[in-house]
Amino acid sequence: MPDETKSPSSPPEGEPKPAADKPASPGGVKATPSGSDASPAQSAETKPTPEKPAAAGQKPAAEAKPAAPPAKPAAAGHPAPPKPAGPTPTPWDAPLVAKFKREYGSGINALTYLGQNYLEVDRSLISEVLERLRDEEQFDYCVDITAVHNPKREKQFDVVWILYSFPRNQRMRVKTQIADGESLPSSVSVWATANWLEREVFDMFGIKFDGHPDLKRILLPDGWKGFPLRKDYGILQQDNEWVQINLGIESGQ
């Protein structure tokens, strides 16, 4: 029989068949036959995958700044120092004080505060003490009359007379306490300047002075309701009724 025709690509009998080429690995490295070590030629052909170029405006990884170190925990703060004690009134000792204390006893308390002398006088004695200060101690000028409102106190108001003696060149204050709704004797007969000063105290605090010749408001209209310098009178508060009737507008416009 004639010999079978063999493919030209087939190797001659007895010769080993060449190994079939295997596809390269994804990294560009040829696969190593199973169970055998890579040859030197294959190792030389192994190359690292090239890095992608940095995007525009982006710094290379080598130039990137190192991450900031973690913040240190804040040191425990020191407590605030105690608030220093403020000045306090101290007893006032003077011949005038000694004379009044002998006559009125506990009805008079004399104190000084930051160099300012004042007498605390019981309400029942205020009229007599004011007259004696003018006639016997030469306090011939009533500088001012004012008040302070303390709504949490039983006697809510401090009424204060600020007096000055021209012959002595000396200033002092006289204070008394009254409850809401109580009145005081007018001192217009002692100092004429007390006329407008008592009207202002009445206008702002609602405190009445018995015997005043014309006690009425001096800053606000006669029909105004409320007393603006009392602590329970809001800073933006108005008499809405008076504003509407007399100005024809809503309060706050």
Side-chain angles (χ1 to χ4, degrees):
M1 291 178 68
D3 294 337
E4 293 180 357
T5 304
K6 296 182 180 180
S7 171
S9 60
S10 300
E13 292 181 3
E15 294 184 7
K17 295 181 181 181
D21 292 334
K22 294 185 179 181
S25 64
V29 181
K30 290 183 179 181
T32 303
S34 176
S36 64
D37 294 334
S39 63
Q42 288 175 331
S43 298
E45 294 177 1
T46 303
K47 297 180 180 180
T49 304
E51 296 182 359
K52 294 182 180 180
Q58 181 179 358
K59 293 183 178 181
E63 298 181 5
K65 294 182 178 180
K72 295 181 180 179
H78 297 287
K83 190 174 181 179
T88 56
T90 56
W92 173 31
D93 188 16
L96 177 156
V97 173
K99 181 176 73 172
F100 277 57
K101 277 187 169 293
R102 284 195 302 269
E103 298 185 27
Y104 299 115
S106 60
I108 295 285
N109 186 29
L111 298 169
T112 184
Y113 179 75
L114 296 177
Q116 301 179 11
N117 302 323
Y118 62 96
L119 294 178
E120 293 178 336
V121 181
D122 187 86
R123 173 177 170 268
S124 62
L125 302 173
I126 194 66
S127 181
E128 182 178 347
V129 169
L130 291 176
E131 285 191 36
R132 292 188 63 182
L133 287 173
R134 183 201 62 181
D135 297 340
E136 299 175 13
E137 306 299 331
Q138 300 179 304
F139 284 92
D140 45 5
Y141 177 35
C142 181
V143 179
D144 197 9
I145 303 174
T146 188
V148 180
H149 186 209
N150 298 280
K152 295 182 180 180
R153 205 173 62 189
E154 181 180 357
K155 292 185 176 183
Q156 296 187 16
F157 295 98
D158 287 322
V159 182
V160 185
W161 290 259
I162 302 174
L163 308 178
Y164 180 74
S165 170
F166 282 99
R168 291 171 174 243
N169 189 24
Q170 183 179 353
R171 186 186 301 264
M172 69 175 297
R173 289 166 171 78
V174 179
K175 297 171 60 176
T176 193
Q177 293 184 0
I178 61 170
D180 189 14
E182 289 184 335
S183 60
L184 288 166
S186 173
S187 55
V188 172
S189 60
V190 183
W191 300 283
T193 54
N195 190 325
W196 283 18
L197 301 176
E198 289 178 355
R199 284 178 59 187
E200 185 175 353
V201 174
F202 168 72
D203 194 3
M204 295 290 105
F205 294 93
I207 298 171
K208 295 182 178 180
F209 294 88
D210 299 331
H212 190 284
D214 187 23
L215 190 63
K216 63 181 181 180
R217 290 187 182 270
I218 190 172
L219 300 175
L220 292 172
D222 290 337
W224 192 271
K225 295 179 181 178
F227 306 102
L229 289 187
R230 291 193 179 200
K231 296 290 180 62
D232 52 8
Y233 193 95
I235 191 170
L236 299 178
Q237 183 177 339
Q238 294 189 36
D239 182 351
N240 297 332
E241 181 181 354
W242 188 95
V243 172
Q244 177 66 39
I245 293 173
N246 294 274
L247 301 181
I249 62 173
E250 295 296 330
S251 178
Q253 290 184 346

